[in-house]
Amino acid sequence: MKTRIDFQPIGERRGKLALLGLLAASAAALSLLPASNAQAHGYVTGDAKSRSFLCSEKGGALNANCGGWEWDAHSVEYTPTPHPTVSLHHYPDEQRKCSSPFTQCGPADGWIASGGRYDGGYGAINEQNATRWYKNPITPGEHTFTWHYHAGHPVTYKEFYITRKDWNPNAPLTRDSFEQTPIARFGPRDKPADNSSTNYKVNIPGDRNGYQILLATWKVGDTPATFYQVIDLDIQNGDVPQPDWKVIGSMNPEPLLPGDKVGVRVFTAQGEVLPQPDMLVIDSEQLSDPNVWSHALATKLNAGNLGFSTGVLDDQGHVTPNYGPNQFYVRPDSRVTQVMLVKHIADLPTQLRLTGLQDSYTIADGRVNLHYNAIAIGNETYTINTAVFLNGKPVAYKVGSVGNHAHFSVTLDNATPGTYDVTATATANNQYKASASQRFTVANEAPAPGHDFVYPAGHGQYLTGTTVLQPKDGNVYECKVAGWCNVALNPADPAYEPGVGRAWEQAWSRK
């Protein structure tokens, strides 16, 4: 049986804790891999931090199971043209083609928190109920909200909207959830520097109390995009008595399996409190549900009078166990300073999967470029190696770094047509654990259709409709957004290079 410690404290982490994946959680994570997107832009901190930022380790990981936002908190971006993998019913025409303020158009209702992003598991941040997300405690009155820029863009305007007094926190976020007039609006400004910040003074209305959401929107001046950040607030109005609680950690549940155990380790300033509280044994399929075991564990801990309370804080100042995320609270007179969630995971067989490979490839300039992922599912830390075979003979081999998710980029030089196999092997402590393979075919390159330039010739002159031949893959691409097609070339991060850059589909379409 493996032991895992999950700890989401308030403030600075004291150390990075290794996490061992569960079968169910790892399987879900397959859908949460990062997808191509425009370059990162920013997030909101200050007196209250945005939902996406609180999903990240830098933000304290107080929000969990967020999908791609756990490593990409700064890319909540809406663009008038949807990602090609998104079903268009999420983008009604009157929204998809509009670049006006939030109240008129933008991401479809229900997809506001993610800025309309659906690909790569990014839709997870749109989940909405009264207890799903960490709430920033705040009082009515003027507060500072800091927009931190990963990549600067000129500001056309920034607006802050707050939910209505009668909004439903258990329903998907829609435009009708918010007041139609922003509580703050800031006009144009020049492009801020990358990795800089701007402070905005926003007045939180005095007629609000409890759970409200603040939506920050940033309309940029050099692309069709608007950036979104939702900020979950717990407005502590002076008219309602508030208990003197302090949050010292979070319990963000994930699926378990029968045979697993879950509990906590409790610490004071003098060190760990021993003996540890008894663990909750997952002894049924019903109890393995994350919403069920989290409530059961919170109830068990609260009955132990351990110097802290576990649950969610209601309007009357009571901490009650929740079916879902819970927090660890202490009062000022408590000796407890830290609580860690501990999971003893029953041993599981290792599984290995390959993703990202095509069924067939075409030779371009004598080469075939392969990009794929190998993902190990289990509760150990693996090393994944890969090899490519042509008609049973090895033609390429790569060793992956230690980790349960490996990305491989393999170039087959002097490629010949034929049937190829990619194989991957996972090992742990130099012991074989699992393997996977996938077959594909390679054919001779087809003549390229007509084009205006051979990329990057003509860069800086591209117009919408300009076609270029990409010599790296032999395909012709047509420019969709001239502003992005002509973004300055950056060899370290060719974000918009046709067919190659991580966000090329934002700028180009393949002919």
Coordinates of all heavy atoms in Angstrom, one line a residue, residues 418-473:
G418 N 6.3 2.7 -45.5 CA 6.2 1.4 -44.9 C 5.3 1.4 -43.7 O 4.6 2.4 -43.4
T419 N 5.3 0.3 -43.0 CA 4.5 0.2 -41.8 C 5.4 0.3 -40.5 O 6.4 -0.4 -40.4 CB 3.8 -1.2 -41.7 OG1 2.9 -1.3 -42.9 CG2 2.9 -1.4 -40.5
Y420 N 5.0 1.2 -39.6 CA 5.9 1.5 -38.5 C 5.1 1.1 -37.2 O 3.9 1.1 -37.2 CB 6.2 3.0 -38.5 CG 7.2 3.4 -39.5 CD1 6.8 3.5 -40.8 CD2 8.5 3.7 -39.2 CE1 7.7 4.0 -41.8 CE2 9.4 4.2 -40.2 CZ 9.0 4.3 -41.5 OH 9.9 4.7 -42.4
D421 N 5.9 0.9 -36.2 CA 5.3 0.7 -34.8 C 6.0 1.6 -33.8 O 7.3 1.7 -33.9 CB 5.4 -0.8 -34.4 CG 4.6 -1.7 -35.2 OD1 3.3 -1.6 -35.0 OD2 5.1 -2.4 -36.0
V422 N 5.3 2.2 -33.0 CA 5.8 3.0 -31.8 C 5.6 2.1 -30.6 O 4.4 1.7 -30.4 CB 5.2 4.3 -31.7 CG1 5.6 5.0 -30.3 CG2 5.7 5.3 -32.8
T423 N 6.6 1.9 -29.8 CA 6.4 1.2 -28.5 C 6.9 2.0 -27.4 O 7.7 2.9 -27.5 CB 7.2 -0.2 -28.5 OG1 8.6 0.1 -28.6 CG2 6.8 -1.0 -29.7
A424 N 6.3 1.8 -26.2 CA 6.7 2.5 -25.0 C 6.7 1.5 -23.9 O 5.9 0.6 -23.8 CB 5.8 3.7 -24.7
T425 N 7.7 1.7 -23.0 CA 7.8 0.8 -21.8 C 8.0 1.7 -20.6 O 8.7 2.6 -20.5 CB 9.1 -0.1 -22.0 OG1 9.0 -0.8 -23.2 CG2 9.2 -1.0 -20.8
A426 N 7.2 1.3 -19.5 CA 7.3 2.0 -18.2 C 8.0 1.1 -17.2 O 7.7 -0.1 -17.1 CB 5.9 2.4 -17.7
T427 N 9.0 1.7 -16.5 CA 9.7 1.0 -15.5 C 9.6 1.9 -14.2 O 9.5 3.1 -14.2 CB 11.2 0.8 -15.8 OG1 11.8 2.0 -16.0 CG2 11.3 -0.1 -17.1
A428 N 9.7 1.2 -13.0 CA 9.8 1.8 -11.7 C 10.9 1.1 -10.9 O 10.8 -0.1 -10.8 CB 8.5 1.8 -11.0
N429 N 11.8 1.9 -10.4 CA 13.0 1.3 -9.7 C 13.7 0.2 -10.5 O 14.0 -0.9 -10.1 CB 12.5 0.7 -8.4 CG 11.9 1.7 -7.5 OD1 12.5 2.8 -7.4 ND2 10.8 1.4 -6.8
N430 N 13.8 0.5 -11.9 CA 14.5 -0.4 -12.8 C 13.7 -1.7 -13.0 O 14.3 -2.7 -13.5 CB 15.9 -0.7 -12.4 CG 16.8 0.6 -12.4 OD1 16.7 1.4 -13.3 ND2 17.6 0.8 -11.4
Q431 N 12.5 -1.8 -12.6 CA 11.7 -3.0 -12.8 C 10.6 -2.7 -13.9 O 9.9 -1.7 -13.8 CB 11.0 -3.4 -11.5 CG 12.0 -3.7 -10.4 CD 12.8 -5.0 -10.7 OE1 12.3 -6.0 -11.2 NE2 14.1 -4.9 -10.5
Y432 N 10.4 -3.6 -14.8 CA 9.4 -3.5 -15.9 C 8.0 -3.4 -15.2 O 7.7 -4.2 -14.3 CB 9.5 -4.6 -16.9 CG 8.3 -4.7 -17.8 CD1 8.3 -4.0 -19.0 CD2 7.2 -5.6 -17.5 CE1 7.2 -4.0 -19.8 CE2 6.1 -5.6 -18.3 CZ 6.1 -4.9 -19.5 OH 5.0 -4.9 -20.3
K433 N 7.2 -2.5 -15.7 CA 5.8 -2.4 -15.2 C 4.7 -2.5 -16.2 O 3.7 -3.2 -16.0 CB 5.6 -1.0 -14.5 CG 6.5 -0.9 -13.2 CD 6.1 -1.9 -12.2 CE 7.0 -1.8 -10.9 NZ 6.6 -2.7 -9.8
A434 N 4.9 -1.9 -17.4 CA 3.9 -2.0 -18.5 C 4.4 -1.5 -19.8 O 5.5 -0.9 -19.8 CB 2.7 -1.1 -18.1
S435 N 3.7 -1.9 -20.9 CA 4.1 -1.4 -22.2 C 2.9 -1.1 -23.0 O 1.8 -1.5 -22.7 CB 5.0 -2.5 -22.9 OG 4.2 -3.7 -23.1
A436 N 3.1 -0.4 -24.1 CA 2.1 0.0 -25.0 C 2.7 0.1 -26.4 O 3.9 0.4 -26.6 CB 1.4 1.2 -24.6
S437 N 1.8 0.0 -27.5 CA 2.3 0.1 -28.8 C 1.2 0.7 -29.7 O 0.0 0.5 -29.4 CB 2.9 -1.2 -29.4 OG 1.9 -2.1 -29.5
Q438 N 1.6 1.3 -30.8 CA 0.6 1.8 -31.8 C 1.3 1.7 -33.2 O 2.5 2.0 -33.3 CB 0.2 3.2 -31.5 CG -1.0 3.7 -32.4 CD -1.6 4.9 -31.9 OE1 -1.6 5.2 -30.7 NE2 -2.1 5.7 -32.8
R439 N 0.5 1.3 -34.2 CA 1.0 1.1 -35.6 C 0.5 2.3 -36.4 O -0.6 2.8 -36.3 CB 0.5 -0.2 -36.1 CG 0.9 -0.5 -37.6 CD 0.8 -1.9 -37.9 NE 1.8 -2.7 -37.2 CZ 2.0 -4.0 -37.4 NH1 1.2 -4.7 -38.2 NH2 3.0 -4.6 -36.7
F440 N 1.4 2.7 -37.4 CA 1.0 3.7 -38.3 C 1.7 3.5 -39.7 O 2.7 2.7 -39.7 CB 1.3 5.1 -37.8 CG 2.8 5.4 -37.6 CD1 3.6 5.9 -38.6 CD2 3.3 5.2 -36.4 CE1 4.9 6.2 -38.4 CE2 4.7 5.4 -36.1 CZ 5.5 5.9 -37.1
T441 N 1.3 4.1 -40.7 CA 1.9 3.9 -42.0 C 2.5 5.3 -42.5 O 2.1 6.3 -42.0 CB 0.9 3.5 -43.1 OG1 -0.2 4.4 -43.2 CG2 0.3 2.1 -42.7
V442 N 3.5 5.1 -43.3 CA 4.2 6.3 -43.9 C 4.1 6.2 -45.4 O 4.4 5.1 -46.0 CB 5.6 6.4 -43.4 CG1 6.4 7.5 -44.2 CG2 5.7 6.7 -41.9
A443 N 3.8 7.3 -46.1 CA 3.7 7.3 -47.6 C 4.5 8.4 -48.1 O 4.9 9.4 -47.4 CB 2.2 7.5 -48.0
N444 N 4.9 8.3 -49.4 CA 5.7 9.4 -50.0 C 4.9 10.7 -50.1 O 3.6 10.7 -50.1 CB 6.0 9.0 -51.5 CG 7.2 8.0 -51.5 OD1 8.2 8.1 -50.8 ND2 7.1 7.0 -52.4
E445 N 5.6 11.8 -50.0 CA 5.0 13.1 -50.0 C 4.3 13.4 -51.3 O 4.7 13.0 -52.4 CB 6.0 14.2 -49.7 CG 7.1 14.3 -50.7 CD 8.2 15.3 -50.3 OE1 7.8 16.3 -49.7 OE2 9.4 15.1 -50.6
A446 N 3.1 14.1 -51.2 CA 2.4 14.5 -52.4 C 2.8 15.9 -52.8 O 3.3 16.7 -52.0 CB 0.9 14.5 -52.0
P447 N 2.7 16.2 -54.1 CA 3.1 17.6 -54.5 C 2.3 18.6 -53.7 O 1.1 18.5 -53.5 CB 2.7 17.6 -56.0 CG 2.5 16.1 -56.4 CD 2.1 15.4 -55.2
A448 N 3.0 19.7 -53.3 CA 2.3 20.7 -52.6 C 1.5 21.6 -53.5 O 1.9 21.9 -54.6 CB 3.3 21.6 -51.9
P449 N 0.3 22.0 -53.1 CA -0.5 23.0 -54.0 C 0.2 24.3 -54.0 O 1.2 24.6 -53.4 CB -1.8 23.0 -53.2 CG -1.5 22.7 -51.8 CD -0.4 21.7 -51.9
G450 N -0.4 25.2 -54.8 CA 0.2 26.6 -55.0 C 0.2 27.3 -53.7 O -0.6 27.1 -52.8
H451 N 1.1 28.3 -53.6 CA 1.3 29.1 -52.4 C 2.0 30.4 -52.8 O 2.6 30.6 -53.9 CB 2.1 28.4 -51.4 CG 3.4 27.8 -51.9 ND1 3.5 26.6 -52.5 CD2 4.7 28.4 -52.0 CE1 4.8 26.4 -52.9 NE2 5.5 27.5 -52.6
D452 N 1.8 31.4 -51.9 CA 2.4 32.7 -52.1 C 3.9 32.8 -51.7 O 4.7 33.5 -52.3 CB 1.6 33.8 -51.4 CG 0.2 33.9 -51.9 OD1 -0.1 33.8 -53.1 OD2 -0.8 34.0 -51.0
F453 N 4.2 32.2 -50.6 CA 5.6 32.2 -50.0 C 5.9 30.9 -49.5 O 5.1 30.0 -49.2 CB 5.6 33.2 -48.8 CG 5.3 34.6 -49.2 CD1 4.1 35.2 -49.0 CD2 6.3 35.5 -49.7 CE1 3.8 36.5 -49.3 CE2 6.0 36.8 -50.0 CZ 4.8 37.3 -49.8
V454 N 7.3 30.6 -49.3 CA 7.8 29.5 -48.6 C 8.2 30.0 -47.2 O 9.1 30.9 -47.1 CB 9.0 28.8 -49.3 CG1 9.6 27.7 -48.4 CG2 8.6 28.3 -50.7
Y455 N 7.5 29.6 -46.2 CA 7.7 30.2 -44.9 C 9.1 30.0 -44.4 O 9.7 28.9 -44.6 CB 6.7 29.4 -43.9 CG 6.6 30.1 -42.5 CD1 5.8 31.1 -42.3 CD2 7.5 29.6 -41.5 CE1 5.7 31.7 -41.0 CE2 7.4 30.2 -40.2 CZ 6.5 31.3 -40.0 OH 6.5 31.8 -38.8
P456 N 9.8 31.0 -43.8 CA 9.2 32.3 -43.3 C 9.4 33.5 -44.3 O 9.2 34.6 -43.8 CB 9.9 32.5 -42.0 CG 11.3 32.0 -42.3 CD 11.1 30.8 -43.2
A457 N 9.7 33.2 -45.5 CA 9.8 34.3 -46.5 C 8.5 35.1 -46.5 O 7.5 34.5 -46.5 CB 10.1 33.7 -47.9
G458 N 8.7 36.4 -46.6 CA 7.5 37.3 -46.6 C 6.9 37.6 -45.3 O 5.9 38.3 -45.2
H459 N 7.5 37.0 -44.2 CA 7.0 37.3 -42.9 C 7.0 38.8 -42.6 O 7.9 39.5 -42.8 CB 7.8 36.6 -41.8 CG 7.2 36.6 -40.4 ND1 7.4 37.6 -39.6 CD2 6.4 35.7 -39.8 CE1 6.8 37.4 -38.5 NE2 6.2 36.2 -38.6
G460 N 5.9 39.2 -42.0 CA 5.7 40.7 -41.8 C 4.8 41.3 -42.8 O 4.3 42.4 -42.6
Q461 N 4.6 40.6 -44.0 CA 3.8 41.1 -45.1 C 2.5 40.3 -45.2 O 1.7 40.6 -46.1 CB 4.6 41.1 -46.4 CG 5.9 41.7 -46.3 CD 6.8 41.4 -47.5 OE1 6.2 41.4 -48.7 NE2 8.1 41.2 -47.4
Y462 N 2.3 39.3 -44.4 CA 1.2 38.4 -44.6 C -0.2 39.1 -44.4 O -0.3 39.9 -43.4 CB 1.2 37.2 -43.7 CG 2.5 36.3 -43.9 CD1 3.0 35.6 -42.8 CD2 3.1 36.2 -45.1 CE1 4.1 34.9 -42.9 CE2 4.3 35.5 -45.2 CZ 4.8 34.8 -44.1 OH 5.9 34.0 -44.3
L463 N -1.1 38.9 -45.2 CA -2.5 39.4 -45.1 C -3.4 38.2 -44.9 O -3.1 37.0 -45.1 CB -2.9 40.1 -46.4 CG -2.0 41.3 -46.8 CD1 -2.4 41.9 -48.1 CD2 -1.9 42.4 -45.7
T464 N -4.6 38.5 -44.5 CA -5.6 37.5 -44.4 C -5.8 36.9 -45.8 O -6.1 37.6 -46.7 CB -6.9 38.0 -43.8 OG1 -6.7 38.6 -42.5 CG2 -8.0 36.9 -43.7
G465 N -5.7 35.5 -45.9 CA -5.8 34.9 -47.2 C -4.4 34.5 -47.8 O -4.4 33.7 -48.8
T466 N -3.3 35.1 -47.3 CA -2.0 34.7 -47.8 C -1.7 33.3 -47.5 O -2.0 32.7 -46.5 CB -0.9 35.6 -47.1 OG1 -1.1 37.0 -47.5 CG2 0.5 35.2 -47.6
T467 N -1.1 32.6 -48.5 CA -0.8 31.2 -48.4 C 0.7 31.0 -48.3 O 1.4 31.7 -49.0 CB -1.4 30.3 -49.5 OG1 -1.0 30.8 -50.8 CG2 -2.9 30.3 -49.4
V468 N 1.2 30.1 -47.5 CA 2.6 29.8 -47.3 C 2.8 28.3 -47.3 O 2.0 27.5 -46.8 CB 3.2 30.4 -46.1 CG1 3.0 31.9 -46.1 CG2 2.6 29.8 -44.8
L469 N 3.9 27.9 -47.9 CA 4.4 26.5 -47.8 C 5.2 26.3 -46.6 O 6.2 27.1 -46.4 CB 5.1 26.1 -49.1 CG 5.8 24.7 -49.1 CD1 4.8 23.6 -49.0 CD2 6.7 24.5 -50.3
Q470 N 4.9 25.4 -45.7 CA 5.7 25.1 -44.5 C 6.7 24.0 -44.9 O 6.2 22.8 -45.0 CB 4.8 24.7 -43.4 CG 5.5 24.2 -42.1 CD 6.6 25.2 -41.6 OE1 7.7 25.2 -42.1 NE2 6.2 25.9 -40.5
P471 N 8.0 24.3 -45.1 CA 8.9 23.2 -45.5 C 9.1 22.1 -44.4 O 9.6 21.1 -44.8 CB 10.2 24.0 -45.8 CG 10.1 25.2 -45.0 CD 8.6 25.6 -44.9
K472 N 8.7 22.4 -43.2 CA 8.9 21.4 -42.1 C 8.0 20.2 -42.3 O 8.3 19.1 -41.8 CB 8.8 22.1 -40.8 CG 9.9 23.1 -40.5 CD 9.7 23.6 -39.1 CE 10.9 24.6 -38.8 NZ 10.7 25.2 -37.4
D473 N 6.8 20.5 -42.9 CA 5.9 19.3 -43.0 C 5.3 19.2 -44.4 O 4.5 18.3 -44.7 CB 4.7 19.4 -42.0 CG 3.8 20.6 -42.2 OD1 4.0 21.4 -43.2 OD2 3.0 20.9 -41.3

